[in-house]
Every structure is written in C-alpha cells, then in structure tokens.
C-alpha cells in the first residue's frame, strides 16, 4: 500500500481534518495526516487531548472493503505496532485495553478509532497521540498520571525517525490482520497486556462492572471473570481502576 502524507504545523485536530477531507482522498493509499501541534485534539469520549509541540499527533486514514471478520481489533493492532516501535528505543511498553499506550506504568499515548461507512466499504480514521518530547511540567496538564518518551529516556527525540518506521510496521500489521484476523496478534497482545491478571473496574454504559482480566478475544473484546464465576466479553467500556 502506498502512503500519502498531509503535514501540518498546527491544525485543530488531525482526526477532524481527515474526516472533513477524506472524500477527496485516493483511498487505494494509506493517508497519514500529521501535525506538530493541535488546538482541538480529541480523545475517547470526546475528551480534550492536550497537544502541545513536542508530541506526535497523527491520523491514519484507509479504506477496508467488505470483510468477514471483526474489524474492532484494529485499535489493538495499532497499539501493538507502536509498542514494537517504542520497545526498539529500549522502553518498557504495555497496552491497556482498549487503546492506551503505557510506558513504565504511566500513560504515554492513546489511540482513537473512528469509522465512516461508504458504498466502497468502511473508512477508518485511526488517530494516535504520543507523548514524545513533552516535559514533566507539560505532563501535569494531563488529568491521569502520564509520561513521555523524553521523560523516560532523559533525552529528546526526533519525531520522524520514530513515525516513519511505525507507518511501515502498521501497513505490514494491517495486511496480516486483514488476512488472518486477530489470531495472528493475540499472543503478542497478551505478552504486553497491562491489565493481565488484574482485578478491573469498568464503566460500561450505566453499569459498573468488576471482574478479573482473562484475555482479549478474537473480536478485540475484553473477557472478564465476574463475581459469579462466569466469563463475559465486553466490546467497549472504560477501565476506571485496577489492582
Ligand atoms: C485517547 O483518548 O486516549 C485517544 C487519544 C487520541 C489522540 C489523537 S492525537 C491525533 C488524533 N487527532 C485527534 O484529535 N485525536 C487523535
């Protein structure tokens, strides 16, 4: 798959720009919309995503024609891609279902997956925000305990040498995923799953669910063992605490 890049110094949100402009894209290609800073970065549940200079903010936009297995794990496959890239920098990376990137126990990045149905298939907008050169002061503006690649390594990094290999690994992983499904990745995911073995509390619509993490299944759903010993798969939800 060929790539086409759309670079911005500053944009409201790479995600919104991609969604506003994808109808003019050649969707045979992977479109990568990136910005050095965002003024209206968005996270999951429409939360603000603090996006000062020094972070990496980008959206992958691509088309997936009609498909016979669940596409939900695309966010996990994206996480696995970035875990691979960051591990090569010597970092201890874990992924917190469904789409948080953790370094040394703190959030260092997040993934936001949105889609639009078109007659040709589903268009994906996979937004990634990664704290690369964000200093400890800036990180205080973030509501959960957060870290960055520079804080963890005590040095600053050029963003492009991290992002270009990530793009190639993403393309490779996406191709494998579309052929083989999540079965090709579930062992990789479990090896770095932040919640493995933990008791988790999750907001699930109006309910609060408490259960023991078991695994993530082929649909990308979180399987929890509940109080009555039954196992249940949850396709979405927000983990609010763990122990
Ligand atoms: C999360 O809530 O953890 C996901 C955060 C995703 C943020 C990225 S930054 C690039 C892209 N543009 C946005 O406005 N959001 C995503």
């Amino acid at each position: 798959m060929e790539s086409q890049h759309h670079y911005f110094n500053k944009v409201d949100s790479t995600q919104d720009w991609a969604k506003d402009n994808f109808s003019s894209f050649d969707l045979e290609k992977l479109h990568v919309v990136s910005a050095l800073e965002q003024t209206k970065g968005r996270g999951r549940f429409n939360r603000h995503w603090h996006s000062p200079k020094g972070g990496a903010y980008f959206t992958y936009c691509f088309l997936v024609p009609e498909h016979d297995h669940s596409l939900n794990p695309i966010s996990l496959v994206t996480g696995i891609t970035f875990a691979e890239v960051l591990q090569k920098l010597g970092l201890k990376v874990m992924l917190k279902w469904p789409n948080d990137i953790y370094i040394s126990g703190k959030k260092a990045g997040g993934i936001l997956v949105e889609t639009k149905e078109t007659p040709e298939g589903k268009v994906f907008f996979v937004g990634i925000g990664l704290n690369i050169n964000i200093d400890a002061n800036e990180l205080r503006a973030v509501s959960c305990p957060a870290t960055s690649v520079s804080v963890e390594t005590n040095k600053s990094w050029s963003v492009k040498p991290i992002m270009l290999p990530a793009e190639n690994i993403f393309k490779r992983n996406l191709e494998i995923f579309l052929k083989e499904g999540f079965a090709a990745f579930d062992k990789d995911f479990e090896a770095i799953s932040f919640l493995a073995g933990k008791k988790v509390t999750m907001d699930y619509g109006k309910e609060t669910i408490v259960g023991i993490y078991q695994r993530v299944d082929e649909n990308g759903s979180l399987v929890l063992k509940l109080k009555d010993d039954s196992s249940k798969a949850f396709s979405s939800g927000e983990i609010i605490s763990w122990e």
Side-chain angles (χ1 to χ4, degrees), residues 13-15 38 40-44 49 57-59 99-100 107 109-112 127-129:
S13 151
T14 58
Q15 197 80 356
Q38 300 183 118
K40 283 192 189 150
R42 290 190 291 114
R44 290 178 78 215
W49 184 260
Y57 312 106
F58 52 100
T59 295
N99 41 16
D100 288 341
K107 183 158 170 168
I111 297 162
L112 174 69
I128 299 113

Side-chain angles (χ1 to χ4, degrees), residues 89-173:
L89 307 182
L91 293 160
K92 187 170 164 9
V93 187
M94 301 207 97
L95 299 175
K96 181 166 144 269
W97 182 92
N99 41 16
D100 288 341
I101 300 168
Y102 270 57
I103 301 178
S104 304
K106 292 184 186 156
K107 183 158 170 168
I111 297 162
L112 174 69
V113 179
E114 296 173 308
T115 58
K116 274 193 196 280
E117 294 294 344
T118 69
E120 291 74 36
K122 209 174 238 193
V123 178
F124 275 79
F125 304 89
V126 179
I128 299 113
L130 202 53
N131 300 338
I132 299 200
N133 301 310
I134 310 269
D135 66 26
N137 269 339
E138 282 281 7
L139 290 170
R140 284 194 198 103
V142 180
S143 51
C144 65
T147 192
S148 67
V149 175
S150 62
V151 164
E152 294 300 324
T153 56
N154 264 318
K155 65 178 210 177
S156 60
W157 295 82
S158 300
V159 173
K160 269 198 185 159
I162 299 180
M163 290 310 151
L164 288 178
E167 186 181 315
N168 290 327
I169 298 173
F170 179 76
K171 285 193 217 173
R172 181 201 69 196
N173 284 346

Side-chain angles (χ1 to χ4, degrees), residues 191-209:
I192 54 168
S193 178
F194 183 74
L195 298 173
K198 295 192 165 86
K199 180 177 173 189
V200 304
T201 305
M202 176 172 78
D203 270 348
Y204 182 66
K206 288 190 179 127
E207 281 177 82
T208 300
I209 309 282

Side-chain angles (χ1 to χ4, degrees), residues 208-233:
T208 300
I209 309 282
V210 179
I212 309 283
Y213 177 100
Q214 294 202 293
R215 65 194 171 92
V216 168
D217 72 12
E218 65 284 6
N219 300 316
S221 298
L222 172 67
V223 183
L224 293 178
K225 188 175 206 177
L226 304 178
K227 249 204 314 230
D228 63 2
D229 249 15
S230 65
S231 291
K232 193 168 169 192

